[in-house]
Amino acid sequence: MPERRPLIAGNWKMHKTLPEARTLARDIRQGVAPGRRAEVALAPPYTALAAVAAELAGSDLRLAAQDAFWEKQGAYTGAISPAMLADVGCRYVIVGHSERRRHFGDTDETVSRKLTAVIAAGLIPILCIGETQAEREADQTLQVVRRQLEGGLGTLKPATGAALVIAYEPVWAIGTGLTATPEQAQTVHHFIRSLLREFLGAPAEAIRIQYGGSVTPDNAAILLAQPDIDGALVGGASLKPELFLPIIAAAG
Ligand code: 13P
């Protein structure tokens, strides 16, 4: 089985001015242990990408964006293309975050277009999927995850399968302080891996599946110890080095 290096990514969402972003990136850069096991990525808002790129230059910390439009360029006011994100130094792009689906109308179809465009630009998408509270209570978690994964991957070819990250983020656990138990999370992650095998074949073993939703220094180690949890997508706790750095350390 291929070794999957855990990916700990901080999704800063709509937070941080430029001076605040520089300070946070610097503090994280200075605080991470050099020989750590985890790969680390920071996803600041678009306005701070260039400034954070400059702070991370010469380090092995990665830059990530929170979303992208699928067109290369053109009359799309307010949109940012994957090529622009590559240009500013991104390696990863989050697509299909539940907040994009909820507030900005992203659907499985538009998420799939974004994912394809991100890969075409030579970047690695982090595809977010996860059920709402109502869907979990109605016992639809696995159906929802299957639909979002199948829809989001679209016609992706197995050859590109490994250049892809999945983030399982149960919507009810995002920003609520509620976390999936390690068993609940592992059950869904294991299911996602079996779906990846079904859709993409052998590359599925190398694809990292992150957990997201109220990850803290207190629950990170037990979540990351699950066999199919290969990292974390961290929101609130990624805005504070004193919380984010121990989460990175929890990956070993
Ligand atoms: P919280 O860690 O704040 O729950 O957010 C998770 C998330 O949405 C990361 O993308």
Side-chain angles (χ1 to χ4, degrees):
M1 257 214 335
E3 230 255 296
R4 294 186 295 266
R5 188 178 181 203
L7 174 63
I8 309 290
N11 175 7
W12 296 4
K13 307 191 180 182
M14 198 171 73
H15 293 286
K16 302 295 175 187
T17 62
L18 277 178
E20 290 167 350
R22 285 194 194 99
T23 303
L24 178 55
R26 197 172 311 147
D27 287 349
I28 292 166
R29 178 182 179 162
Q30 287 169 358
V32 289
R36 68 185 183 281
R37 181 154 170 256
E39 184 180 8
V40 177
L42 306 182
Y46 289 136
T47 46
L49 282 171
V52 171
E55 290 297 335
L56 301 185
S59 78
D60 64 353
L61 276 68
R62 312 289 195 186
L63 189 66
Q66 299 176 16
D67 188 38
F69 190 53
W70 54 80
E71 294 290 348
K72 289 199 176 82
Q73 57 184 36
Y76 302 103
T77 302
I80 303 286
S81 73
M84 291 167 166
L85 298 174
D87 186 40
V88 76
C90 287
R91 180 178 178 87
Y92 294 100
V93 183
I94 299 169
V95 296
H97 193 282
S98 62
E99 288 151 15
R100 299 293 320 174
R101 295 177 192 259
R102 173 155 176 237
H103 300 296
F104 302 96
D106 283 21
T107 63
D108 289 335
E109 204 227 317
T110 59
V111 170
S112 167
R113 295 180 78 169
K114 291 178 178 190
L115 178 128
T116 305
V118 165
I119 292 174
L123 300 174
I124 302 174
I126 299 176
L127 170 61
C128 299
I129 57 177
E131 81 288 359
T132 63
Q133 175 86 50
E135 288 162 342
R136 176 162 282 265
E137 281 167 6
D139 234 352
Q140 290 170 352
T141 298
L142 300 187
Q143 279 127 284
V144 170
V145 162
R146 172 183 267 276
R147 191 197 68 227
Q148 291 180 338
L149 188 66
E150 196 164 19
L153 293 179
T155 55
L156 191 73
K157 299 283 181 300
T160 47
L164 169 78
V165 177
I166 308 295
Y168 170 58
E169 299 205 300
V171 178
W172 50 271
I174 295 178
T176 57
L178 297 171
T179 317
T181 64
E183 294 75 23
Q184 281 174 328
Q186 168 57 25
T187 300
V188 180
H189 280 237
H190 184 74
F191 177 67
I192 292 170
R193 178 116 27 231
S194 71
L195 291 176
L196 289 170
R197 238 175 253 132
E198 181 186 325
F199 300 148
L200 299 173
E205 308 306 326
I207 295 177
R208 291 170 296 178
I209 308 174
Q210 298 177 298
Y211 170 80
S214 299
V215 175
T216 66
D218 293 334
N219 58 32
I222 179 95
L223 285 162
L224 292 168
Q226 304 307 309
D228 287 292
I229 300 185
D230 312 310
L233 185 54
V234 185
S238 74
L239 300 171
K240 296 189 174 141
E242 67 273 24
L243 298 179
F244 193 53
L245 290 169
I247 293 173
I248 295 167

